[in-house]
């Protein structure tokens, strides 16, 4: 209790509040730029924390992290350009809403859902850290495989009217994910003599090309004058908190999913985002709106990815195991400050631990305030003439592709997938399944191969472990229930006739 009270006192010191406000603004600015990942922002700011007090320095980085994850939705909604992979699931519904003249409403829903997910994960971090950390330790290769397969059930939800085309795109994404070096044997796969492909094809250049450059090409072909097809006060109307009442269950469910996924080392906000989106569509009363401009879809995706932010600190702070790449940088910040993340952190440096946890909760409240102040200006992007906006977007895309690794070949990969995305969109192939498979494919492959090595080739390993078996049941339910619901609907319709 002493550590909790001291941490509470530290958070509300003027200097720490200013640091949180500045860090949040910096995170939002970086997160909204395609190619400039939140990991990059946190890593670049790490040296500036060396001269700060331990709690203050980590708070600064945590605020950047929260702001960066949220801000990815801004360009996802306005430009169909996710600022980070975590906001990829927001793209379809968010951009469709912007085209309908509802950019401000979509940005408002995104902000409120992000704050709700962040606060939920913050209180989860505060109240349930030891319990969830123990659960995360139970995950091995079989659990990672079944979780990845569960995530892939979302593919059916984002395939539009043609499941077959969605499956083709998913298979293509899985093939692209195999490019590089075999993680088990070290042998080369599908690089065709191109040494720069040895490290595989990274998700960020693919993301920018598939969704951003392809959309610019499509809009130029259509000779669109601006993103929004409407004008007037509707573009600027914000959503009030009470208007989120229809989505409260979706936001809560997605926040829970985000907190669970975030607490498992090795998984990320993008996986949580897609799982949350898929579950929201299955539970929704209006599933046909998903992908065509659903506020509920935006809420699900953003609550899901921001639900990860606090939870990823659970294994980092309680076990000393980074839950994500960003958490690894934050772990380094703890170590640089002379702290030892793990079971002894709360005993030896309880004041610093609670300063970070309570500061994380305050950071999400600050995000709500800063986001609300900025939405009016963000929404104006949708009304900028395309002759001005699209060249700027294209330049940012190419800069983002280069900035990712400071290598010219990543620009070529970005352009290649931009053209590929344009051609596939013209043929009405959905792009999201490819991205989902590209993210989950490596996790599934590694989990399968390691599991079979552990079991000597026996598939029984997936059914004797409780968590793996539970996830298999969820996969079966996710696949079967839509057919059951359709059968019941048809049966009811026939009775009414």
């Amino acid at each position: 209790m002493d550590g909790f009270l001291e941490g509470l006192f530290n958070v509300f010191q003027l200097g720490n509040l200013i640091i949180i406000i500045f860090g949040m603004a910096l995170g939002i600015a970086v997160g909204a730029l395609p190619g400039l990942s939140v990991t990059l922002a946190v890593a670049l700011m790490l040296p500036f924390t060396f001269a700060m007090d331990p709690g203050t320095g980590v708070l600064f980085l945590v605020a950047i992290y929260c702001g960066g994850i949220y801000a990815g939705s801004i360009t996802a909604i306005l430009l169909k350009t996710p600022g980070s992979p975590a906001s990829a699931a927001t793209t379809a519904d968010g951009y469709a809403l912007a085209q309908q003249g509802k950019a401000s409403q979509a940005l408002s829903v995104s902000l409120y859902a992000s704050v709700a997910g962040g606060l939920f994960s913050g209180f989860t971090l505060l109240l349930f850290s030891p319990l969830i950390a123990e659960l995360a330790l139970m995950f091995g290769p079989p659990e990672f495989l079944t979780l990845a397969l569960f995530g892939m059930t979302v593919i059916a939800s984002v395939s539009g009217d043609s499941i077959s085309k969605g499956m083709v795109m998913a298979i293509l994404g899985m093939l692209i994910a195999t490019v590089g070096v075999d993680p088990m044997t070290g042998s080369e796969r599908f690089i065709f003599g191109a040494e720069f492909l040895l490290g595989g094809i990274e998700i960020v250049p693919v993301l920018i090309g598939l969704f951003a450059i392809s959309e610019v090409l499509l809009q130029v072909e259509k000779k669109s004058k601006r993103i929004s097809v409407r004008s007037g006060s509707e573009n600027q109307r914000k959503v009030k908190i009470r208007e989120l009442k229809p989505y409260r269950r979706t936001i809560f469910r997605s926040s829970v999913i985000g907190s669970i996924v975030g607490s498992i080392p090795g998984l990320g906000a993008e996986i949580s985002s897609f799982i949350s989106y898929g579950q929201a569509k299955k539970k929704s009363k209006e599933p046909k709106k998903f992908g065509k401009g659903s506020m509920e879809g935006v809420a699900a995706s953003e609550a899901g990815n921001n639900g990860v932010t606090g939870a990823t600190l659970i294994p980092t702070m309680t076990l000393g195991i980074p839950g994500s790449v960003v958490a690894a940088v934050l772990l380094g910040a703890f170590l640089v400050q002379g702290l030892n993340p793990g079971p002894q952190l709360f005993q030896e440096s309880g004041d610093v631990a609670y300063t970070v946890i309570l500061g994380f909760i305050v950071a999400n409240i600050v995000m709500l305030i800063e986001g609300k102040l900025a939405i009016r200006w963000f929404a104006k992007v949708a009304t900028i003439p395309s002759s001005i906006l699209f060249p700027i977007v294209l330049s940012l895309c190419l800069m983002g592709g280069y900035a990712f690794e400071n290598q010219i070949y990543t620009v070529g990969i970005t352009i290649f997938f931009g053209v590929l995305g344009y051609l596939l969109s013209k043929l009405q192939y959905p792009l999201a399944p490819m991205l989902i498979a590209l993210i989950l494919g490596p996790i599934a492959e590694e989990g399968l191969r390691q599991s079979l090595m552990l079991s000597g080739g026996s598939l029984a390993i997936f059914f004797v472990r409780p968590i793996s078996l539970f996830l298999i049941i969820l996969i079966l339910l996710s696949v079967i229930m839509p057919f059951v619901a359709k059968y019941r609907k048809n049966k009811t319709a026939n009775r009414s006739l």
Side-chain angles (χ1 to χ4, degrees):
M1 183 58 70
D2 290 340
F4 176 85
L5 294 175
E6 192 169 348
L8 187 64
F9 174 77
N10 289 340
V11 167
F12 287 99
Q13 288 186 348
L14 180 61
N16 283 337
L17 287 175
I18 292 173
I19 280 291
I20 291 173
I21 293 169
F22 177 67
M24 181 60 63
L26 181 61
I28 291 174
V30 173
L33 294 174
L36 298 183
S37 68
V38 65
T39 305
L40 176 63
V42 173
L44 288 176
M45 291 296 108
L46 178 60
F48 292 95
T49 67
F50 294 166
M52 299 180 185
D53 292 334
T56 303
V58 179
L59 265 184
F60 179 52
L61 299 179
V62 165
I64 295 173
Y65 175 38
C66 293
I69 293 293
Y70 152 67
S73 66
I74 296 171
T75 47
I77 292 169
L78 297 175
L79 306 174
K80 202 178 180 181
T81 311
S84 68
S87 295
T90 309
T91 304
D93 288 300
Y95 188 70
L97 288 166
Q99 288 184 307
Q100 295 166 20
K102 298 178 181 178
S104 186
Q105 293 96 304
L107 289 169
S108 296
V109 169
S110 167
L111 175 62
Y112 290 137
S114 296
V115 172
L119 288 175
F120 185 91
S121 68
F123 284 108
T124 301
L125 172 63
L126 178 63
L127 300 175
F128 304 110
S129 293
L131 180 63
I132 295 180
E134 288 183 15
L135 176 66
L137 282 178
M138 296 173 66
F139 268 69
E143 287 75 22
F144 279 114
L145 170 63
T146 49
L147 184 63
L149 293 177
F150 179 57
M152 286 187 184
T153 62
V154 180
I155 288 172
S157 300
V158 296
S159 294
D161 298 327
S162 177
I163 299 295
S164 59
K165 287 186 176 181
M167 294 305 298
V168 168
M169 294 298 288
I171 293 170
L172 181 58
M174 292 283 282
L175 287 173
I176 294 171
T178 62
V179 173
V181 175
D182 187 307
M184 304 294 289
T185 65
S187 58
E188 298 176 358
R189 300 192 302 194
F190 306 118
I191 67 169
F192 304 107
E195 292 186 1
F196 65 85
L197 292 177
L198 284 172
I201 297 178
E202 295 289 347
I203 187 66
V204 173
V206 174
L207 184 71
I208 295 173
L210 277 182
F211 289 97
I213 293 181
S214 65
E215 183 62 25
V216 169
L217 296 175
L218 287 169
Q219 294 294 338
V220 169
E221 183 184 35
K222 293 177 183 177
K223 298 181 180 179
S224 301
K225 294 183 178 180
R226 55 180 58 86
I227 293 173
S228 175
V229 295
R230 300 179 186 175
S231 58
S233 60
E234 181 69 11
N235 284 313
Q236 299 299 322
R237 192 181 77 80
K238 297 180 183 179
V239 172
K240 297 179 180 179
I241 292 180
R242 65 174 178 269
E243 294 181 60
L244 293 177
K245 188 176 180 180
Y247 317 132
R248 64 186 185 278
R249 290 184 180 179
T250 296
I251 292 174
F252 176 75
R253 186 192 311 113
S254 300
S255 299
V256 172
I257 291 172
S259 294
I260 293 173
V261 171
S263 66
I264 301 169
L267 302 182
E270 56 269 29
I271 295 175
S272 170
S273 180
F274 278 114
I275 292 176
S276 299
Y277 184 86
Q279 292 303 303
K281 183 175 181 181
K282 289 173 184 175
K283 302 287 185 180
S284 176
K285 295 180 180 178
E286 299 178 309
K288 292 184 178 180
K289 283 189 175 182
F290 279 66
K292 300 176 183 177
S294 170
M295 290 289 184
E296 189 175 5
V298 173
S301 170
E302 290 305 308
N305 61 36
N306 283 270
V308 168
T309 52
T312 196
L313 295 175
I314 292 174
T316 305
M317 296 180 67
T318 61
L319 302 173
I321 301 172
S324 65
V325 178
V326 176
V329 180
L330 294 174
L331 179 65
F334 276 104
L335 296 173
V336 167
Q337 296 287 358
L339 303 171
N340 295 307
Q344 302 300 316
L345 177 65
F346 288 84
Q347 295 180 8
E348 298 175 354
S349 307
D351 58 330
V352 177
Y354 281 109
T355 297
V356 172
I357 293 172
L358 295 170
F360 176 89
I361 294 172
V362 172
N364 278 274
I365 297 172
V366 170
M367 183 167 73
L368 174 64
I369 297 170
E370 291 189 10
K372 288 189 72 171
L373 292 173
I375 281 175
R376 178 185 301 176
W377 305 106
F378 288 144
K380 290 183 181 296
V381 172
T383 62
I384 296 176
S386 60
S387 59
I388 298 174
L389 181 62
F390 291 148
I392 295 174
V393 172
L394 188 59
S395 299
L396 287 173
C397 290
L398 297 179
M399 289 171 59
Y402 178 78
F404 179 68
E405 288 188 352
N406 293 325
Q407 298 288 342
I408 196 65
Y409 71 80
T410 57
V411 178
I413 293 174
T414 303
I415 294 173
F416 172 80
F417 279 96
V419 175
L420 179 63
Y422 165 76
L423 295 174
L424 290 170
S425 296
K426 292 281 289 181
L427 296 173
Q428 298 183 337
Y429 279 86
L431 302 179
M434 178 193 288
L435 182 66
I436 295 171
L438 190 59
I439 293 170
L440 297 178
I443 298 173
E445 179 192 5
E446 189 172 347
L448 175 62
R449 296 173 69 177
Q450 289 181 350
S451 297
L452 293 178
M453 287 180 65
L454 289 172
S455 65
S458 173
L459 295 176
I461 191 172
F462 300 109
F463 300 95
V464 298
R465 297 170 67 110
I467 296 177
S468 177
L469 179 60
F470 175 70
L471 289 169
I472 289 173
I473 294 171
L474 287 182
I475 292 168
L476 293 174
L477 289 175
S478 296
V479 173
I480 294 171
M481 288 308 294
F483 293 101
V484 173
K486 187 175 182 181
Y487 171 76
R488 288 179 176 176
K489 186 178 179 181
N490 292 336
K491 193 173 182 180
T492 303
N494 291 333
R495 283 178 180 176
S496 63
L497 293 174

